[in-house]
């Protein structure tokens, strides 16, 4: 993490307007914000800029209005909860470009004041990354701050184009996220262990290929492990298994061997006849899986090996559950492994970084989100970063 400007270099921003891209794509119910986590995440950046005397102008998208104004996807409902969190008024501009935001910034905002602009995706130029639209946004401010890591995998006007037009800085949340990701895959302390679980090999191919090239150990769990077992001649019965991916799985196994990445595949599994809470289940060795068995979780010996691998590692990066964690008892391997990782992280023995939609729910279910070193809630951006792809919104911030 060398090449970014930092907000702390700016001491006095009085008389300046900071355009801040935030992630306010919050859950709403009945026109009201039902979870303010994302609003809270933006507070450190907003307050840092206010403290330096800047006019703070927030830009965000909400939903998928596809380039048309749509009252159901207005950001207006965000104003009130944001005012409560900031203990300060938040001005709202009915549009994100043109006279409406210009008037709010010039007439209403004092230094340290905060405004929120209407949904940037009400204009087609946002997702098209249209230079003319980005230039209209740029006219509103003096500096650009991007605090929306979760939108950084998209090259849109407010995430990428604008960063090319104004002096650009990562916000505090963005910085925390980039620091954590750098510790996990950029310049990690070795040995590094990866855990990749979830349903399908086909949706995580790029991820697996990138990880076997980078990691010392890679544990594969969840439904995708069935495909690897099948590729090695194990009869996985009626389990979720992508038989047409067997060649690909064998290629990944071979690539791991070539790159010196130790693959940890299940050595025992938990099976049942249906996926229902509390259904009768049993532990099976790999040669004892019946034709009507469904593999729904990793077995105890597999979890014990995974814990030993964690004990020997200094860095852990995790995406995807080890079993059908939504349906107990098939949450057991995921919960046990997550708690072990959390214990090691809390004791300072490992840097444990996890992310991706289902992974966050699984770690929440295991009640360890706060104990991991870092948990990213950015689904797509986190995955693309784990896949080794450059994120346009991050690249554009590099000074
Ligand atoms: P993903 O979105 O690819 O991370 O996949 C997460 C989903 O994989 C979760 O909903 C899990 O229930 C599911 N999953 C994990 N293990 C299995 C399994 N052995 N069989 C079927 N689905 C699984």
């Amino acid at each position: 993490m060398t090449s970014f400007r930092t907000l702390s270099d700016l001491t006095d921003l009085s008389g300046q307007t900071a355009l801040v891209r935030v992630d306010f794509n919050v859950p709403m119910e009945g026109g009201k914000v039902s979870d303010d986590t994302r609003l809270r995440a933006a507070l450190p950046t907003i307050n840092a800029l206010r403290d330096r005397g800047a006019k703070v102008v927030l830009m965000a998208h909400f939903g998928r209005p596809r380039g048309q104004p749509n009252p159901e996807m207005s950001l207006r409902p965000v104003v009130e909860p944001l005012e409560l969190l900031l203990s300060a008024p938040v001005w709202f501009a009915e549009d994100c470009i043109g006279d409406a935001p210009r008037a709010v910034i010039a007439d209403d905002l004092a230094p340290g004041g905060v405004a929120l602009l209407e949904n940037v995706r009400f204009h087609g130029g946002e997702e098209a990354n249209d230079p003319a639209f980005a230039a209209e946004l740029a006219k509103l401010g003096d500096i650009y701050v991007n605090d929306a890591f979760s939108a950084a995998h998209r090259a849109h006007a407010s995430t990428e184009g604008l960063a090319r037009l104004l002096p650009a800085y990562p916000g505090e949340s963005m910085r925390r996220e980039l620091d954590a990701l750098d510790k996990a895959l950029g310049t990690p302390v070795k040995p590094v262990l990866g855990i990749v679980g979830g349903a399908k090999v086909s949706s995580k191919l790029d991820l697996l290929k990138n990880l076997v090239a980078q990691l010392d150990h890679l544990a594969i769990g969840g439904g995708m492990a069935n495909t690897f077992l099948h590729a090695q001649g194990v009869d996985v019965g009626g389990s979720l298994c992508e038989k047409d991916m067997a060649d690909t799985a064998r290629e990944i196994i071979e690539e791991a061997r070539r790159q010196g990445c130790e693959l940890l595949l299940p050595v025992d599994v938990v099976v049942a006849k249906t996926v229902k809470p509390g259904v009768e289940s049993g532990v099976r060795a790999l040669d004892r899986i019946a034709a009507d068995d469904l593999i729904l979780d990793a077995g105890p010996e597999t979890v014990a090996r995974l814990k030993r691998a964690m004990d020997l590692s200094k860095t852990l990066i995790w995406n995807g559950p080890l079993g059908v964690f939504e349906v107990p008892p098939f949450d057991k391997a995921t919960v046990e492994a997550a708690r072990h990782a959390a214990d090691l992280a809390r004791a300072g023995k490992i840097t444990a970084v996890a992310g991706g939609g289902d992974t966050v729910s699984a770690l929440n279910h295991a009640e360890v989100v706060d104990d991991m070193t870092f948990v990213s809630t950015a689904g797509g951006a986190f995955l693309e970063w784990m896949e080794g792809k450059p994120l346009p919104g991050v690249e554009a911030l590099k000074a």
Side-chain angles (χ1 to χ4, degrees), residues 197-199 203-204 222-223 226 240 295-296 320-326 358:
S203 64
K204 295 194 182 171
N226 302 341
L240 175 66
I295 300 173
L296 298 173
L322 300 176
V324 183
F325 74 96
E326 303 94 331
D358 269 319

Side-chain angles (χ1 to χ4, degrees), residues 38-54:
R38 286 181 163 165
L39 308 187
R40 288 175 190 278
L43 297 179
T45 296
I46 298 173
N47 285 326
L49 293 164
R50 295 182 70 205
D51 290 347
R52 292 168 173 77

Side-chain angles (χ1 to χ4, degrees), residues 36-371:
D36 66 1
T37 308
R38 286 181 163 165
L39 308 187
R40 288 175 190 278
L43 297 179
T45 296
I46 298 173
N47 285 326
L49 293 164
R50 295 182 70 205
D51 290 347
R52 292 168 173 77
K55 294 183 178 186
V56 181
V57 176
L58 306 171
M59 301 173 297
H61 78 273
F62 182 68
R64 295 176 180 223
R66 300 189 189 285
Q68 297 295 328
N70 179 337
E72 282 174 16
M73 294 178 204
S74 171
L75 277 166
R76 193 183 269 285
V78 168
V79 170
E80 202 183 308
L82 188 60
E83 286 181 323
L84 281 173
L85 290 171
L86 285 169
S87 304
V90 173
W91 303 91
F92 186 71
E94 304 285 345
D95 199 349
C96 63
I97 55 171
D99 290 340
R102 257 201 299 277
V104 168
I105 294 166
D107 304 338
D108 298 327
L109 283 192
V114 181
L116 171 65
L117 307 186
E118 185 54 287
N119 196 340
V120 286
R121 287 196 186 166
F122 283 3
H123 292 266
E126 164 63 3
E127 290 182 76
N129 199 5
D130 172 16
F133 177 72
E136 285 299 313
L137 291 173
K139 278 186 200 163
L140 301 172
D142 304 294
I143 66 165
Y144 168 75
V145 180
N146 189 348
D147 212 20
F149 177 81
S150 57
H153 56 316
R154 311 262 185 241
H156 293 171
S158 70
T159 61
E160 203 271 351
L162 189 49
R164 310 254 175 224
L165 301 176
L166 294 175
Y169 299 79
E172 302 290 337
S173 285
M174 171 75 94
R175 234 196 129 68
R176 261 193 82 222
E177 182 108 22
L178 293 175
D179 279 341
L181 302 189
D182 191 60
K183 279 200 192 106
L185 264 192
T187 51
V189 183
K190 287 178 160 269
V192 190
L193 164 68
I195 302 177
V196 176
K200 293 184 170 179
V201 174
S202 53
S203 64
K204 295 194 182 171
L205 257 188
D206 290 344
L207 180 62
L208 293 168
K209 285 183 178 158
N210 186 43
L211 292 184
V212 295
Q214 310 236 11
L215 305 184
D216 304 295
H217 313 276
L218 176 61
I220 295 179
M224 72 167 67
N226 302 341
T227 302
F228 279 86
L229 294 177
H230 162 77
Q232 292 187 311
V234 174
D235 182 351
V236 297
S239 309
L240 175 66
C241 174
E242 293 173 285
K243 297 202 164 138
D244 56 340
M245 296 299 287
D247 282 342
T248 307
R250 280 189 287 267
E251 277 163 34
I252 291 171
I253 292 169
E254 174 53 27
E255 186 58 19
R257 200 189 54 72
R258 227 173 49 78
Q259 301 266 7
C261 170
E262 184 205 13
L263 276 193
L264 299 163
L265 288 169
V267 292
D268 58 350
V269 291
V270 174
V271 300
K273 303 297 180 194
T274 53
V275 194
K276 285 207 186 107
V279 72
E280 192 184 326
S281 62
V283 174
R284 295 283 181 277
L286 298 180
D287 58 358
R288 297 284 311 281
I289 300 162
D292 59 348
D293 275 341
L294 306 176
I295 300 173
L296 298 173
D297 202 10
E301 178 54 29
T302 303
V303 176
R305 288 183 186 203
L306 183 54
K307 287 187 190 171
R308 277 200 293 278
M310 286 186 204
D311 292 340
L312 298 173
S313 298
K314 292 276 184 251
T315 303
L316 168 68
I317 175 143
W318 186 343
N319 170 267
L322 300 176
V324 183
F325 74 96
E326 303 94 331
V327 187
F330 310 110
D331 57 344
K332 194 158 184 263
T334 303
V335 168
E336 264 190 41
R339 294 199 173 146
H340 194 70
D343 288 345
L344 292 172
R346 222 182 300 113
K349 294 185 176 158
I350 201 168
T351 296
V353 173
D358 269 319
T359 313
V360 181
S361 329
L363 297 177
N364 262 319
H365 175 70
E367 299 175 328
V368 297
V369 167
D370 295 335
D371 296 318

